[in-house]
Amino acid sequence: MQGTIKKIFTHYWSPYIAMGLAGVLSALYFGITKTVWAVTGEFTRLGGHILQLFGVDVSDWAYFKLVGMNGTTLTRTDGWIVWGMFIGALVMILFSNNFKIRIPKQKRRLVQGFAGGIIAGFGARLALGCNLAAFFTGVPQFSLHSWIFIAATAIGTYLGVKVVNTAWWKGKPVLSKGNTAASPSAVKKRVVQPYVGAGIALAYAALIVYFFASGKTMLGTAAIFGAAFGILIERGQICFTSAFRDLWISGRATMTKAITAGMAISSVATLVIILVYGLEPITKIAAPSTLVGGILFGLGIVLAGGCETGMMYRLMEGQVVFLPVFIGNIIGATALAYAWDHLGVFNLLAKSGSKINLIPLMGPYGALFATLALLAAGFAVAAYWQKNYRFGTGFKKGDTTHVR
């Protein structure tokens, strides 16, 4: 029993398990709350609230009317999905004694992460949602826009890989002088992080109890699901950036296949919930803004070094570089909110779009079959790519020694 507990808290989980569970939870969350697992919409609202603190009147901004600015981040379910993810990831990191402040040796990485975060945030909101809104909301909700976004993200990440591999982006390597005189301490360091994690977990559990006791059941539900999502992305080390970037750099497709499998599970579970409870699937517009936003998002997450989900648990690990990524995401999303009507972005790229859902077009089972067929094709392509295009140090074409 002790060995099992240790394995759960100290070893990373299979991304297939993490994504499969996330797919089921995403469907259940939709069934309970009639809303979805997403993060950048709340990032946009945070940007709006910050502007309000500085006296900016955003009441007539069309994009803020679209996403809704009622309440605060602590009184919205979308807020507790975000903060729950941060807290869930942090607790698991502390339980595994893995928190450590990590400052990049190349300070340019802070600027690069900030710039990438701005581009990713702008692109995500231009497309009306980031990777979660497409992969784990759009696809399982049978919204056509999600497939446009996925293809565009692939293009954007490919362009991003080309940029980060250039010499001017990489800069000169920073070498540090080793200290051969230093020797490991003979005294074992006291492990305190798990106790801190337990304290945070208990405090968070008390907050959830308070939500339910005070009649704020939706906030309590969002807090539970947010923490669960945070635990899964951290333990599975889920990063949508690596799902694409690794294909272009090393041919590795483990994360790609795991996310694809998770989307398939979520699609089945979501359709069951839609049919049993008679719910309307959430559909976003498919428009040029979806394509352009997806490309910008894919480019940005590679420049930043991680998508929103990857950023969240890596920031909780103490990786300082992801703080400017987080800030950049909020700035980019807020900039899009301004550009939406003030600079004519809506009229130029989004106005011509329309909401297209596969269920009315093909029927529920036809929509599911088409979705699963596309996901199966994607999984097969990823597996083929991994088998035949492995490269880099220690790898050669056809080498499957290190492939899971």
Side-chain angles (χ1 to χ4, degrees):
M1 182 66 178
Q2 185 176 0
T4 302
I5 295 175
K6 183 177 180 180
K7 187 176 181 179
I8 291 174
F9 291 113
T10 61
H11 296 172
Y12 290 123
W13 304 348
S14 164
Y16 291 97
I17 294 175
M19 282 288 86
L21 291 173
V24 173
L25 289 180
S26 179
L28 290 175
Y29 184 68
F30 168 64
I32 294 171
T33 67
K34 313 301 184 296
T35 186
V36 295
W37 177 26
V39 296
T40 56
E42 190 61 21
F43 290 175
T44 311
R45 298 182 193 99
L46 282 173
H49 290 318
I50 292 171
L51 290 178
Q52 288 174 330
L53 287 176
F54 286 92
V56 179
D57 182 9
V58 300
S59 60
D60 62 341
W61 291 25
Y63 201 87
F64 285 132
K65 292 180 180 179
L66 180 66
V67 299
M69 290 288 288
N70 295 331
T72 71
T73 189
L74 299 180
T75 61
R76 289 189 294 261
T77 55
D78 286 349
W80 282 106
I81 280 290
V82 171
W83 305 121
M85 288 176 68
F86 275 120
I87 293 171
L90 176 61
V91 167
M92 295 305 290
I93 289 163
L94 292 172
F95 279 162
S96 60
N97 202 44
N98 197 38
F99 176 82
K100 181 181 179 181
I101 297 296
R102 301 170 177 90
I103 301 175
K105 293 184 181 297
Q106 290 182 301
K107 299 304 182 286
R108 64 166 51 205
R109 282 292 301 122
L110 298 172
V111 178
Q112 290 168 345
F114 180 65
I118 292 175
I119 296 171
F122 188 95
R125 295 321 306 171
L126 176 59
L128 297 178
C130 64
N131 45 286
L132 292 179
F135 291 73
F136 277 85
T137 297
V139 170
Q141 300 277 344
F142 308 101
S143 178
L144 179 64
H145 92 282
S146 60
W147 294 102
I148 300 173
F149 183 86
I150 289 171
T153 299
I155 296 170
T157 54
Y158 179 80
L159 296 175
V161 166
K162 293 297 183 181
V163 172
V164 298
N165 279 334
T166 58
W168 68 269
W169 181 270
K170 291 180 179 179
K172 295 181 180 179
V174 178
L175 303 177
S176 58
K177 185 177 181 181
N179 185 3
T180 57
S183 59
S185 173
V187 180
K188 185 177 180 180
K189 294 182 179 179
R190 183 181 180 185
V191 179
V192 299
Q193 289 187 22
Y195 295 101
V196 176
I200 294 174
L202 288 173
Y204 192 67
L207 176 65
I208 292 172
V209 171
Y210 163 75
F211 281 148
F212 282 101
S214 60
K216 302 174 182 177
T217 55
M218 286 298 101
L219 293 184
T221 300
I224 292 173
F225 276 86
F229 288 134
I231 290 170
L232 290 173
I233 64 170
E234 193 281 325
R235 286 292 84 190
Q237 293 289 283
I238 303 303
C239 182
F240 291 78
T241 305
S242 65
F244 288 101
R245 182 189 58 205
D246 291 356
L247 288 174
W248 312 135
I249 294 179
S250 68
R252 187 173 185 268
T254 301
M255 191 62 64
T256 312
K257 294 188 293 183
I259 291 173
T260 303
M263 285 192 288
I265 293 171
S266 187
S267 297
V268 174
T270 301
L271 182 62
V272 170
I273 287 174
I274 288 174
L275 294 178
V276 170
Y277 294 100
L279 301 179
E280 285 292 325
I282 296 175
T283 309
K284 300 291 180 65
I285 63 168
S289 57
T290 313
L291 177 66
V292 176
I295 292 173
L296 289 175
F297 175 76
L299 172 65
I301 60 177
V302 174
L303 301 185
C307 62
E308 279 73 7
T309 52
M311 173 273 293
M312 294 173 85
Y313 70 78
R314 286 169 180 150
L315 181 57
M316 293 298 94
E317 288 175 347
Q319 297 191 44
V320 175
V321 70
F322 288 99
L323 180 57
V325 174
F326 179 41
I327 296 171
N329 261 275
I330 295 174
I331 292 175
T334 309
L336 183 277
Y338 178 81
W340 189 253
D341 49 355
H342 292 82
L343 300 181
V345 168
F346 170 75
N347 290 330
L348 179 65
L349 296 174
K351 189 176 182 179
S352 62
S354 59
K355 294 182 178 182
I356 302 174
N357 193 282
L358 299 183
I359 292 179
L361 291 177
M362 310 173 69
Y365 300 110
L368 180 62
F369 177 81
T371 298
L372 294 181
L374 286 171
L375 291 173
F379 190 97
V381 169
Y384 176 84
W385 189 277
Q386 180 169 259
K387 181 179 180 180
N388 293 279
Y389 294 94
R390 293 288 282 175
F391 57 93
T393 304
F395 297 103
K396 60 182 180 181
K397 184 176 180 179
D399 180 15
T400 59
T401 304
H402 303 280
V403 179
R404 291 188 287 168

